[in-house]
Amino acid sequence: MSLAIADRISSARPFRWPRLSRARWLSPVLLLALWELGSRLGVIPERVLAAPSTVAETFWALTISGELPANLLVSLARAAAGLSIALVVAVTLGLVAGLSRLGETAIDPLMQIKRTIPSLALTPLFIVWFGIGETPKIVLIAVATTFPIYLNLFAGVRGIDVRLVEAARSFGLSGWSLVREVILPGALPSFFVGLRYALGVSVLVLVVAEQINAQAGLGHLINNARDFMRTDIIVVCLLVYALLGLGADALVRTLERRALAWRPSLVEQ
Amino acid sequence: MVQPRIRRRAFDTVSPAPASPSIAPPSVAPAVKLTGFVRQFGENRVIDGLDLSIAPGEFVALLGASGSGKTTLLRTLAGLDPVGHQDVTTPSTRAVVFQDARLLPWKKVWRNVALGLKDKGVRARAEAALKEVGLGHRLDAWPSTLSGGEAQRTALARALVREPGLLLLDEPFAALDALTRLKMHDLVLNLWSEHKPAVLLVTHDVDEAIALADRVLVLNKGKIAAEEHITLERPRAPDARFQVIRRRLLGHLGVEAPVSLQEAPHEGALIAFPTGEAVQ
């Protein structure tokens, strides 16, 4: 009796879609295929959105001609300049505020006030101050990315295990050696969280900053494409922005893996 | 502003330290000396007129219930708390082993041992210290991969690599399992007889104190309430004489231990009360 039931259950097993049930790549590919089909059938006009195949061709052409790499380099240099300034300022302020009560009283309120003002809202003021050259773009990126680095480093320094600091002090560490050997390494995980945020913010601000009369860079490329209704170039630039975000994340991950190899979660990998 | 008077002197580690029984000869200057020491947090006097003297190479255990001021006293001797204008004499080199190993997780084991050492050949010294505690094979391990006993042995190596004149042990075995604790007792005794630092072991384990120390102090309300010289030869088995001392110390701690029949009363130990009278 029970055997018969077991037989029936095993024979009544539903048809399975092998592997497809877990194929996460499928829906994006389907979307691309529909998009391509729509473009070929004329449902999606070229001036609204270029076909994926056209975008791929344009991507290739722009790369070969050197137009895309050259403009990308300009944009990357802006982001790097702004981020470098932010790193120096934020690490200095974060350490001063984190390591002393007086520093916190002096610096933290100003940083919190700055935080409540959206950085992008400062754009008009920076244009008035710095004109429409490179300066306002770099300053805008620097200002916007300072806060996430500062805040996380400050929290990291304050979150240090005081028992470790005490042990290090009992072994004669003090002053700068205590900061270098104990406090900075202890705050490093938080610092990396801040850095990751800052890299994301830098790409975001880059997009806006490059709308300010850019003579080169990804923003310049997009603006030109808009004027000539080249939706294929616009999509190519959007793709590059996405790749920039992914690349930034991969960069921080690599840095983290090297610098935080001591963390149990990473040791086990 | 008067500078706080903290006397530090270099501690001669090669001088032959008295073996147990280690009542220091009067000619030898004590490694640690506190006279009428007071430590106060607000209204609360944690240490209240405490007199303490530890001879070079002497192994002293400090017993006390929680809140009796044990840890405060240890922190004072470690130089972690300010002492104000009071007279505190300690050796210039001191090292602490905490209850939690307190290894820096971002430094490999040997770098933890070498923490704060600047001279050349630090790696070789750290390696030698780690070999001494039986961890020669874990030099380049991350602290997060160590077991509790290994972490504590690393902390011991980190303390001993400095050749301290005073070794401060703050309940270093409390978090270990019973078997590991016994092994650590042997290790500490071996290292102590090898290096001969003065040792102050803070513990709440009466058996541990009797098994290890030359002298056991009972701290109560910030004062030394009782003192017991342990003259039993090492290694110490928990025999009848051991039990007598144990019962007496438990009595000082306010715990009534059941009387066992095999006890031979008043043998092998000398109780000295802080007032100076000694009872045989």
Side-chain angles (χ1 to χ4, degrees), chain A residues 156-192:
Chain A
V157 170
R158 281 296 161 92
I160 294 269
D161 189 343
V162 288
R163 297 169 315 143
L164 291 181
V165 175
E166 196 178 271
R169 273 178 53 216
S170 84
F171 290 114
L173 268 70
S174 60
W176 173 239
S177 66
L178 191 66
V179 172
R180 194 187 54 224
E181 309 270 335
V182 183
I183 293 170
L184 279 183
L188 209 55
S190 303
F191 167 79
F192 276 122

Side-chain angles (χ1 to χ4, degrees), chain A residues 183-268:
Chain A
I183 293 170
L184 279 183
L188 209 55
S190 303
F191 167 79
F192 276 122
V193 174
L195 186 63
R196 197 177 280 196
Y197 264 109
L199 282 170
V201 169
S202 74
V203 173
L204 182 77
V205 176
L206 192 67
V207 175
V208 177
E210 290 193 331
Q211 309 287 323
I212 315 169
N213 185 45
Q215 301 300 318
L218 287 175
H220 168 69
L221 213 56
I222 282 197
N223 281 347
N224 274 359
R226 180 199 61 205
D227 292 345
F228 296 102
M229 287 204 278
R230 286 287 301 272
T231 53
D232 53 339
I233 297 182
I234 293 178
V235 174
V236 166
C237 288
L238 293 181
L239 277 178
V240 172
Y241 277 129
L243 290 177
L244 274 182
L246 284 176
D249 208 52
L251 179 74
V252 180
R253 267 174 207 276
T254 312
L255 286 176
E256 276 187 351
R257 199 164 301 142
R258 282 168 176 252
L260 305 181
W262 49 270
R263 284 208 298 196
S265 57
L266 292 167
V267 169
E268 281 160 21

Side-chain angles (χ1 to χ4, degrees), chain B residues 188-254:
Chain B
V188 163
L189 281 178
N190 286 338
L191 293 169
W192 169 64
S193 56
E194 186 80 21
H195 298 267
K196 276 295 174 187
V199 178
L200 182 74
L201 166 70
V202 166
T203 180
H204 54 243
D205 183 338
V206 177
D207 293 345
E208 182 172 283
I210 303 171
L212 298 177
D214 295 325
R215 185 154 58 104
V216 180
L217 304 175
V218 177
L219 197 62
N220 191 18
K221 293 178 184 158
K223 281 191 174 112
I224 307 282
E227 183 178 37
E228 186 110 4
H229 288 273
I230 318 265
T231 56
L232 306 174
E233 64 285 358
R234 295 186 178 91
R236 292 167 179 163
D239 58 9
R241 293 177 300 162
F242 191 109
Q243 297 301 332
V244 173
I245 304 168
R246 181 174 190 273
R247 213 161 64 80
R248 216 157 35 215
L249 282 171
L250 284 173
H252 291 307
L253 289 163

Side-chain angles (χ1 to χ4, degrees), chain B residues 32-49:
Chain B
V32 172
K33 190 160 174 57
L34 297 181
T35 314
F37 185 78
V38 174
R39 181 97 172 98
Q40 198 160 352
F41 297 104
E43 290 289 287
N44 184 19
R45 278 205 168 185
V46 182
I47 295 190
D48 188 9

